[in-house]
Amino acid sequence: MVDRPSNELVTTEDKVHTYEGLSSADIHGIVGVTGHNNCTDHERRHQFDGATKATVDQVEHFGAVGKIVLAEESCYEELGFCFPTWKKWTLSMNFNTSLYSNGLTGISEEFGVSMQAARCGAMIFLVTYAFGCELWAPWSEELGRKSILQLSMLLVNIWQLPVALAPNFATIMVGRALGGLSLAGGSVTLGMVADMWDADTQQYAVACVVFSSVAGSVVGPLVGGFLIFGGFVQIVHLLVVPETRTTIMLGQIAKKRRKNGENVYGPYEILPWKERFSLKEICITWIRPFKMFVTEPIVLTLSLLSGFSDALIFMFIQSFRLVYDQWGFDTVALGLSFIPILVGYLIAWLSFYPVIQRNMAARRRKPDDEHAQYESRLVGPPVHWMGTMVFSAMVGIVNCSIYMTTIDYMVCAYGPYAASATGGNGFARDILAGILTIPATPFVENIGGDRHLEYASTILFCISVVLVVSVYIIYWYGPALRKRSPFAQQLSSSQMEGYSHSRRASAIMPRSKLGSRRNSLTYHQ
């Protein structure tokens, strides 16, 4: 922890003499010299001396003279990382993705469409949700988690009204599409985990979020016919859940301190609105998660694996009716048939606790071992052979395990970009699940004749083998892949430099914002 900043104001004339009080990360950010990572602190100070003289005009133009930017160290105890443990636990349940399946028969009969056509409502929601979580996630890193989630839930609830009151099937499709596009998704919730937990302690929190997320897809068919609580959930979120994004919290704290006479500002408050939300910055923000999904091998591979696993669950949701029609299951009994998957999720969740304990102990024993700090998170719990006796429970265990390990690894590896990285994961999960919702029934019914169930399962098994092999590649070559990633390396270099003496990944500003901010501020000793 560094000393709190003084309230002494610094003029532009004094500015070039204040660098002695800055950390190496601060100096590197001010100079903005990408490609000079090997410079010593002494060399950076020389570069800084010349750079600050060149930016005095910018300081005057932005009106930043005499303004002190509130640093994380100045109010560390007030930020999300120091919340009491009970306040950090987060739930994120995906009811809306699977709840629709309860109304398929009613929709088909009321609007005179086939069951296959009725399933398009589930498909279009998942596909648009895939894009929605990608579009919303990066803005939570810019505007804060709570405001984005509140706006998202409001829009999702609004778009449920035309679905409920639809005069025709087309209205249902439009409402479902807009609802999916409005859903921020679990990627924002996982960003909150990065806000409140460091990499060494995040695994229990990630396990809790992952379990609630995957359980929601199974609980939906169980309770969907009896509960409508979107508005209730939003009200509870508004009243109970605080903001957690560090850069946003710094602005809130700065406003409170200014009322008490302190001349301090949040990191975003001194940036002009037109600069912060220029067309270029908006495009960069929106493109970020898609760019990470396409250009980051780790994100792409783990997201495809997680997406395929999630798609299996939604294919299960569609195919269970075919399987249990053999025994004459009605709607209620069919909903109850999902309980084994929920049991599998619960088994997977609980089985991760000893795994996490061993993983944390290994990281403490080997603090300098990259493999122990990162790739060891991809190892799931051992599964007893008895788990295979109930196949659906086994799938639940595997699906939850894949989601847990891949999310934990990406949150750890990408730190400040956790929401964008996990947005790629959500994109793959939802778009694959959505696309495969429609062909799921024909696929299971029409392949292999009398042995169609066996043939369909075998094909899915063959696909899964390829994806599982890819995970082992990341497990073995993860350090090399991360060294090639500009996103992962930003976190790594900031940790090595001791960025602001912070242990919290979410405190790190994106380089584009960092460079802009550093060139427009005055500093204090």
Side-chain angles (χ1 to χ4, degrees), residues 52-330:
T52 50
K53 292 177 181 178
T55 58
V56 169
D57 291 338
Q58 290 179 311
V59 173
E60 293 173 344
H61 175 70
F62 289 132
V65 175
K67 291 183 178 179
I68 299 175
V69 177
L70 192 63
E72 179 194 358
E73 294 80 9
S74 305
C75 52
Y76 190 77
E77 295 78 8
E78 301 176 62
L79 299 177
F81 185 80
C82 292
F83 284 169
T85 302
W86 63 265
K87 194 175 180 179
K88 295 182 181 182
W89 295 105
T90 308
L91 296 178
S92 176
M93 303 194 79
N94 294 330
F95 279 105
N96 219 328
T97 54
S98 59
L99 185 146
Y100 178 83
S101 63
N102 283 52
L104 287 176
T105 302
I107 291 172
S108 175
E109 294 174 353
E110 181 174 350
F111 298 108
V113 297
S114 67
M115 288 291 288
Q116 189 70 353
R119 292 187 185 94
C120 289
M123 178 273 293
I124 197 169
F125 183 87
L126 286 166
V127 170
T128 54
Y129 176 24
F131 288 93
C133 68
E134 289 282 73
L135 296 175
W136 285 95
W139 287 109
S140 73
E141 297 164 347
E142 302 290 331
L143 301 174
R145 315 294 189 191
K146 184 169 185 175
S147 58
I148 288 299
L149 285 173
Q150 276 290 307
L151 179 59
S152 169
M153 285 190 287
L154 175 63
L155 292 175
V156 170
N157 289 330
I158 288 174
W159 294 124
Q160 296 314 301
L161 294 177
V163 175
L165 305 175
N168 51 57
F169 183 64
T171 303
I172 291 181
M173 295 294 289
V174 172
R176 292 289 289 177
L178 293 173
L181 198 61
S182 301
L183 196 57
S187 55
V188 176
T189 309
L190 290 164
M192 293 175 65
V193 172
D195 295 338
M196 296 183 289
W197 305 82
D198 63 25
D200 288 333
T201 59
Q202 73 180 30
Q203 287 175 291
Y204 291 113
V206 171
C208 183
V209 173
V210 167
F211 173 72
S212 66
S213 178
V214 296
S217 64
V218 177
V219 174
L222 290 173
V223 303
F226 310 101
L227 297 179
I228 301 175
F229 57 95
F232 170 74
V233 170
Q234 180 169 0
I235 293 172
V236 171
H237 179 274
L238 178 64
L239 298 177
V240 175
V241 179
E243 178 58 62
T244 61
R245 179 68 176 174
T246 300
T247 49
I248 303 301
M249 293 185 72
L250 288 173
Q252 295 172 345
I253 295 169
K255 289 179 181 178
K256 292 180 182 178
R257 292 193 178 186
R258 286 201 297 274
K259 292 181 180 179
N260 297 326
E262 293 187 47
N263 187 31
V264 293
Y265 294 81
Y268 283 147
E269 288 187 288
I270 44 72
L271 284 175
W273 186 267
K274 63 180 181 181
E275 176 188 335
R276 188 180 171 196
F277 295 103
S278 65
L279 180 60
K280 178 182 177 181
E281 288 296 330
I282 290 174
C283 290
I284 290 174
T285 300
W286 255 332
I287 290 173
R288 186 191 306 151
F290 294 100
K291 180 180 179 181
M292 293 183 73
F293 180 71
V294 174
T295 63
E296 294 285 321
I298 291 173
V299 175
L300 178 61
T301 303
L302 297 184
S303 295
L304 288 176
L305 173 66
S306 188
F308 178 75
S309 175
D310 213 40
L312 284 179
I313 295 297
F314 281 90
M315 292 185 75
F316 262 35
I317 292 174
Q318 303 303 321
S319 63
F320 265 33
R321 179 184 60 81
L322 301 173
V323 174
Y324 292 108
D325 271 351
Q326 301 173 90
W327 292 276
F329 277 32
D330 60 15

